């Protein structure tokens, strides 16, 4: 009985996909205050309380008074609360035990029972759980603390990497702390701060790399640090020495995906949680019991020998916690205590799981406390500031923007960071609107925005070429975020659920990862060049950088190397679709992922982005070449870059057409109930839209889908998934179409048994399709049974106000996404053709705009993305998902009228019925571009409003 000292059975209850963002830092000592003085003052005990010293990740130290009989959770809560740490469950407090091993404090046990002399022990705040992708961290502050953990790990030799990688990480630390490169400042900082054990050896390399980070904010530096670190094999690895059965010395470690085995610093094996049946320890032996299918029924238990029972138990506890945190939906319940005797350990993980933590942060995002990082090394004297309402007075009585309180200090003097900037989105005060998300309810001060606008015009170039180059940058930012939907978010979802076969994983991610990495570097080059062009960098760089052709030419040439990857997208899309039909688990993960906010478009749409991006480069370079005179110094590079990208685009043009058609068919397959084989070979999508079908009970609203071989009509039922139900399919082979000659104008007959009011676009498309139909294969659709209303049941049409209020905010979409073109066409009585879809792809655009509502005075600065006939709204370009959206089908775009009282430049007006919005661009070029792309989506002749026969449906029904 006593043989089994500890055991843990791995529960087969997977977690779900999680989400995130990125962060910054702190110190609690006042200027001029020494650590020794603080410690001396803090050594005096207060009453009979227990005073505990805790070291933060920035090496500052705090004292905490707790009850002598306090649990570990009491101290943890005090530390997290004082630090205003929202995502606290990623962290823990560790201390060194008698054997000088670092041990985590257990929340459910008394502190005095875990630590022999708590008052004399240094506890330190550390990252306890390392997520596979730091992008899952939602708080910028959390990301900052993680970057400090990487800094500590580098210095302590835990984060093993090459000298070049270490220098790159160190260069980002320097950028985060002191800003852009300056030779004297860099040398002074590196002299005073030790980042690497061998820092002197690579100091020049650190400075050389730092020079490349021009314009990078501290938060972006933190993000880069974590992006580099997460790809290292030793990221988050903590060694626990052991030996195998042959006595070979190895190291065991635990990570989010399972257990790892290292020989030296080389990983030789990984046991995923899905392969592990049970973990246990017997005295010094650590046992891993695998499922029989992994190693066969006779080799299902692996045994490792550790130095002592205590070390064995410590590692076992860490494994229990890692499995619970990353794999479970909910935290496990405590094990009930046995009355007479115990068998095994009662230890359980007591915190929130990662899923619970993510859900909590999302729900409580509005309550987050802002923070400010403080750089003491920048000056010998740190200016004391005092907070008065919404302003701060310095010792020189000059008024500056109100800084945000450091989360580790609830009051007292603060240090102003030179890199700190106030958000342009400030005070709430906007009336509710169908477009407006609660998170976007902040409106900036008009005076402040006017100052910014005036300052921007004075600082930034006004040349049209600059704004064309800026369009390349802004759309590249959006494009990279779109790639992350696959490379980061979807990967995380399928890995977490172990839902995708290894072969498909390799095909998908080995194909798109190199493209993603290339564009990360490309974006960085673009950002640096635009920073130099604008003159916002403080680096003393000689040369004229007001051009973009050299950057484009270099990268368009490099992009040719990825042609083979792009040509595989056809296979990737096809195999992914086949796998989702074959594997129920993958299908479930796929559908659940599409409901996540980060997946703001149908998932397979993102797989088309790399080829579509080539078309964007081509169009933008054509505009640059047209703008430049042949004698301009940038003309030749732009012309050569255009030639290079046009060559690749031509090679992939037919593939893109085929992929867009396949993507649309698979999207409709998921959105329609009652069919199965919509993606049959040879079938082409032509048009979708809302028409009225004439029945015995009069005109009934239906959603029609025209393909190369048939016409489908569907109805909008009240279903949990918001799908359309197929009610009929009409083969086009041999069909005729006739326009009505009686009093019902705008009506055509199909197959002589039904009449449909239409636009000329529908009649023309039908006529052309009928002519082609005999030569096309006809694959009848396989019906699938469904329950619901019959074809003749009249459906109540949602009002535009209801549709907007319930559909336009992505925060409110709990079921199938409702702002796809199909749903918008239904609610706004319009239609969209495949050629419209292709045009919309070419016209994608993104950038900052000022937005104003019809009856408001304030303007609000938002990052706006136009794609798929829709505007998506973000607070900044760094946000991972849109906070609201506005489908544009049916809207009109124009310049403001006199009655609108808009006396600003570069303003355009969007209107649908009573809904009116104003948007303000930064220049004439960007104004014209936004007008151009919105017109292409909102009001083309191919998408006229539905023509109702004279008298309307009620008159025809005879009611």
């Amino acid at each position: 009985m006593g043989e089994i000292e500890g055991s843990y059975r791995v529960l087969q209850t997977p977690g779900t996909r999680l989400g995130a963002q990125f962060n910054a830092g702190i110190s609690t000592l006042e200027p001029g205050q020494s650590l020794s003085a603080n410690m001396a003052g803090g050594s005096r005990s207060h009453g009979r309380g227990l005073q505990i010293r805790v070291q933060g990740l920035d090496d500052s130290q705090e004292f905490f008074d707790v009850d002598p009989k306090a649990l570990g959770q009491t101290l943890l809560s005090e530390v997290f609360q004082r630090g205003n740490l929202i995502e606290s469950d990623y962290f823990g407090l560790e201390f060194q035990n008698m054997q000088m091993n670092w041990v985590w404090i257990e929340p459910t046990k008394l502190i005095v029972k875990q630590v022999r002399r708590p008052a004399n022990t240094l506890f330190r705040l550390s990252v306890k759980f390392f997520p596979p992708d730091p992008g899952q961290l939602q708080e910028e502050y959390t990301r900052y603390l993680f970057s400090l953990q990487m800094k500590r790990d580098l210095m302590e030799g835990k984060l093993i990497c090459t000298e070049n990688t270490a220098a790159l990480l160190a260069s980002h630390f320097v950028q985060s702390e002191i800003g852009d490169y300056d030779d004297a400042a860099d040398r002074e900082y590196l002299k005073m701060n030790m980042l690497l054990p061998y820092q002197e050896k690579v100091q020049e390399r650190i400075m050389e790399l730092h020079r490349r980070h021009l314009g990078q904010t501290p938060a972006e530096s933190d993000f880069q640090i974590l992006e580099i670190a997460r790809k290292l094999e030793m990221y988050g690895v903590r060694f626990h020495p052991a030996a195998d059965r042959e006595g070979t010395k190895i190291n065991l470690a635990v990570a989010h995906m399972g257990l790892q085995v290292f020989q030296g610093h080389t990983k030789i094996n990984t046991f995923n949680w899905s392969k592990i049946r049970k973990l246990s320890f017997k005295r010094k032996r650590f046992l891993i019991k695998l499922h029989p299918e992994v190693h066969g029924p006779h080799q299902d238990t692996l045994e490792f020998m550790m130095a002592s029972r205590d070390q064995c138990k410590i590692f076992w506890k860490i494994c229990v916690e890692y499995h619970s945190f990353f794999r479970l939906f909910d935290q496990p319940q405590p094990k009930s205590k046995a009355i007479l005797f115990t068998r095994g350990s009662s230890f359980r993980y007591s915190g929130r799981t990662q899923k619970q933590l993510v859900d909590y942060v999302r729900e409580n995002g509005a309550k987050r406390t802002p923070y400010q990082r403080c750089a003491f090394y920048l000056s010998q004297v740190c200016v004391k500031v005092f907070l008065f309402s919404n302003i701060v007075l310095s010792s020189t009585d000059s008024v500056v923007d109100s800084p945000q309180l450091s989360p580790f200090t609830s009051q007292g003097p603060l240090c102003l960071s030179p890199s700190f900037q106030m958000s342009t989105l400030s005070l709430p005060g906007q009336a509710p609107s169908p477009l407006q998300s609660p998170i976007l309810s902040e409106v900036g001060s008009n005076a402040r925005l006017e100052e910014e606008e005036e300052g921007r015009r004075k600082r930034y170039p006004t040349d049209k070429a600059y704004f064309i180059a800026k369009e390349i940058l802004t759309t590249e930012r959006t494009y990279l975020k779109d790639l992350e939907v696959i490379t980061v978010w979807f990967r995380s979802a399928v890995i977490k659920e172990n839902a995708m076969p290894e072969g498909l994983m390799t095909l998908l991610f080995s194909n798109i990862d190199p493209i993603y990495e290339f564009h990360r570097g490309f974006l960085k080059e673009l950002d640096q060049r635009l920073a130099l062009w604008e003159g916002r960098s403080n680096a003393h760089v000689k040369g004229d950088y007001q051009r973009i052709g050299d950057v484009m030419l270099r990268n368009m040439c490099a992009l040719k190397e990825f042609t083979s990857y792009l040509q595989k997208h056809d296979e990737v899309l096809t195999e992914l679709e086949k796998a989702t039909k074959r594997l129920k688990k993958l299908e479930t993960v796929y559908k659940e992922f599409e409901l996540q906010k980060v997946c703001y478009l149908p998932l397979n749409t993102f797989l088309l982005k790399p080829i579509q991006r080539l078309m964007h480069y081509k169009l933008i370079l054509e505009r640059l070449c047209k703008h430049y005179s042949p004698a301009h110094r940038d003309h030749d590079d732009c012309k050569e870059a255009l030639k290079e990208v046009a060559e690749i685009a031509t090679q992939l043009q037919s593939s893109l057409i085929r992929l867009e058609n396949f993507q649309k068919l698979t999207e409709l397959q998921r959105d329609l109930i009652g069919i199965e084989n919509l993606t049959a070979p040879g079938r082409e999508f032509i048009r979708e839209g809302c028409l009225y079908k004439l029945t015995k009970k009069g005109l009934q609203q239906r959603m029609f889908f025209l393909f190369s071989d048939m016409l489908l009509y569907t109805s909008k039922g009240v279903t949990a998934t918001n799908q359309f139900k197929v009610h009929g399919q009409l083969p086009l082979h041999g069909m005729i179409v006739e326009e009505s000659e009686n009093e019902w104008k705008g009506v055509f007959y199909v197959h002589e048994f039904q009449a449909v009011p239409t636009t000329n676009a529908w009649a023309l498309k039908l006529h052309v399709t009928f002519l082609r139909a005999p030569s096309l294969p006809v694959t009848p659709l396989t019906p699938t049974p469904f329950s619901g209303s019959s074809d003749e049941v009249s459906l109540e049409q949602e009002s535009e106000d209801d549709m907007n209020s319930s559909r336009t905010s992505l925060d409110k979409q709990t079921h199938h996404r409702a702002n796809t073109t199909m749903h918008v066409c239904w609610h706004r009585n319009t239609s969209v053709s495949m050629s419209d879809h292709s045009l919309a792809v070419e016209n994608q655009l993104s950038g900052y705009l000022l937005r104003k509502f019809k009856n408001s005075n304030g303007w609000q600065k938002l990052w706006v993305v136009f794609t798929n006939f829709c505007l998506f709204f973000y607070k900044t370009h760094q946000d991972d998902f849109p906070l609201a959206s506005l489908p544009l089908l049916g809207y009109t775009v124009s310049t403001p009228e006199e009655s609108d009282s808009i006396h600003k430049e570069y303003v355009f007006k969007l209107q649908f019925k009573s809904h009116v919005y104003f948007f303000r661009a930064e220049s004439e070029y960007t104004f014209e571009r936004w007008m151009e792309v919105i017109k292409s989506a909102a009001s083309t002749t191919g998408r006229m409003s539905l023509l109702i026969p004279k008298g309307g449906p009620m008159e025809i029904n005879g009611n």
Side-chain angles (χ1 to χ4, degrees), residues 678-880:
L678 193 59
T679 56
R683 178 169 290 132
E684 295 176 24
F685 168 76
I686 296 175
R687 178 176 286 272
E688 63 185 344
C690 187
L691 299 173
Y692 279 88
K693 180 176 177 291
L694 185 60
T695 69
K696 292 181 296 182
K697 296 185 178 181
L699 291 177
Q700 299 283 322
Q701 185 182 1
R702 294 288 179 264
M703 188 71 186
F704 279 74
F705 301 91
L706 178 62
F707 302 97
S708 56
D709 59 344
M710 66 178 56
L711 180 67
L712 283 182
Y713 59 94
T714 67
S715 68
K716 178 74 162 59
V718 182
T719 65
T721 54
N722 217 6
Q723 293 167 291
F724 284 78
K725 298 178 180 179
V726 176
H727 286 286
Q729 52 176 295
L730 308 175
L732 298 188
H733 184 72
M735 187 181 290
I736 59 173
V737 57
E738 294 180 341
E739 193 166 353
S740 171
E741 295 180 356
N742 57 20
E743 70 278 8
W744 289 356
K745 298 299 180 183
V747 175
F748 69 88
Y749 292 90
V750 174
H751 213 262
E752 296 188 350
F753 81 91
Q754 66 174 359
V756 184
T758 182
T759 64
N760 290 334
W762 270 104
L764 179 61
K765 283 288 183 183
L766 282 167
H767 180 68
V768 173
T769 307
F770 293 159
L771 293 177
R772 298 174 56 208
S775 63
L776 293 172
V778 179
T779 307
L781 296 175
T782 305
T784 56
F786 61 85
S787 59
S789 58
S790 68
D791 186 40
E792 304 306 326
V793 173
S794 180
L795 301 172
E796 180 181 352
Q797 181 178 350
E798 233 178 304
S799 72
E800 173 60 21
D801 285 351
D802 290 340
M803 194 282 291
N804 264 314
S805 62
S806 62
R807 302 279 196 264
T808 53
S809 173
L810 295 187
D811 290 326
K812 299 179 182 179
Q813 293 172 16
T814 56
H815 297 297
H816 188 84
R817 186 169 288 103
N819 65 342
T820 59
T821 53
M822 178 198 307
H823 291 86
V824 180
C825 284
W826 172 265
H827 291 291
R828 297 186 183 170
N829 292 333
T830 186
S831 70
V832 176
S833 70
M834 191 64 202
S835 59
D836 293 328
H837 279 283
S838 299
L839 181 63
V841 165
E842 292 180 358
N843 281 322
Q844 292 186 12
L845 191 61
S846 52
Y848 282 104
L849 290 174
L850 298 181
R851 183 186 67 179
K852 178 183 178 299
F853 294 99
K854 181 180 179 181
N855 298 317
S856 70
N857 296 319
W859 292 85
Q860 181 184 21
K861 188 176 182 181
L862 296 172
W863 177 260
V864 184
V865 173
F866 168 79
T867 186
N868 289 45
F869 307 101
C870 192
L871 293 179
F872 295 93
F873 300 95
Y874 305 72
K875 274 194 173 183
T876 73
H877 68 82
Q878 294 177 333
D879 293 350
D880 288 318

Side-chain angles (χ1 to χ4, degrees), residues 613-631:
R613 186 61 178 153
L614 294 173
M615 310 304 167
H616 301 161
Y617 294 144
K618 181 173 177 289
L619 292 170
I620 295 174
L621 283 167
E622 284 174 350
R623 282 198 291 275
L624 264 176
C625 290
K626 187 176 179 181
H627 167 69
Y628 285 139
S629 67

Side-chain angles (χ1 to χ4, degrees), residues 26 96 131 152 165 172 250 252 281 338 432 453 613 622 706 727 753 776 785 822 906 932 937:
I26 48 177
Q96 286 185 304
R152 180 190 287 175
T165 301
H172 284 295
I250 51 97
L252 298 178
F281 67 93
E453 185 71 9
R613 186 61 178 153
E622 284 174 350
L706 178 62
H727 286 286
F753 81 91
L776 293 172
M822 178 198 307
Y906 315 135
E932 178 186 350

